[in-house]
Amino acid sequence: MIRINSVLIRLVRWSGWPLLPVVAAFLLTGYATSGRYGLGAWLDARTAMTWHKLLHAPLLVLFLVHSLPAMYLEIQRGGWFRKTKTPVQKS
């Protein structure tokens, strides 16, 4: 169990770094599509929408790879997966 936990912790840490720029790019392209906050000057709406649509898959994959192991580790740390004592059979 300890080996799996160390692998999951590394997975959470390593997936967080690529997730950060993907989320930033997703937000920037979304705002550039609508032209808010002056971001329409960087990209025209059509290019921003194309990039925004291309970022859906990496965002979803990285989010799941990052969040599911993190949730599992947190639930495990909270004590939801306690080992139950086996009942002693009387004969």
Side-chain angles (χ1 to χ4, degrees), residues 11-78:
L11 187 62
V12 168
R13 288 180 181 166
W14 282 97
S15 64
W17 287 109
L19 182 61
L20 187 63
V22 170
V23 168
F26 192 77
L27 291 172
L28 289 173
T29 55
Y31 283 125
T33 300
S34 64
R36 288 185 176 181
Y37 306 114
L39 294 174
W42 288 4
L43 291 170
D44 62 308
R46 189 173 183 158
T47 306
M49 181 57 81
T50 302
W51 278 102
H52 192 73
K53 287 181 179 180
L54 288 174
L55 287 172
H56 280 105
L59 180 65
L60 182 63
V61 168
L62 284 171
F63 176 75
L64 290 175
V65 166
H66 181 75
S67 63
L68 291 177
M71 286 187 289
Y72 172 78
L73 290 169
E74 183 60 33
I75 288 171
Q76 187 180 27
R77 189 178 343 157

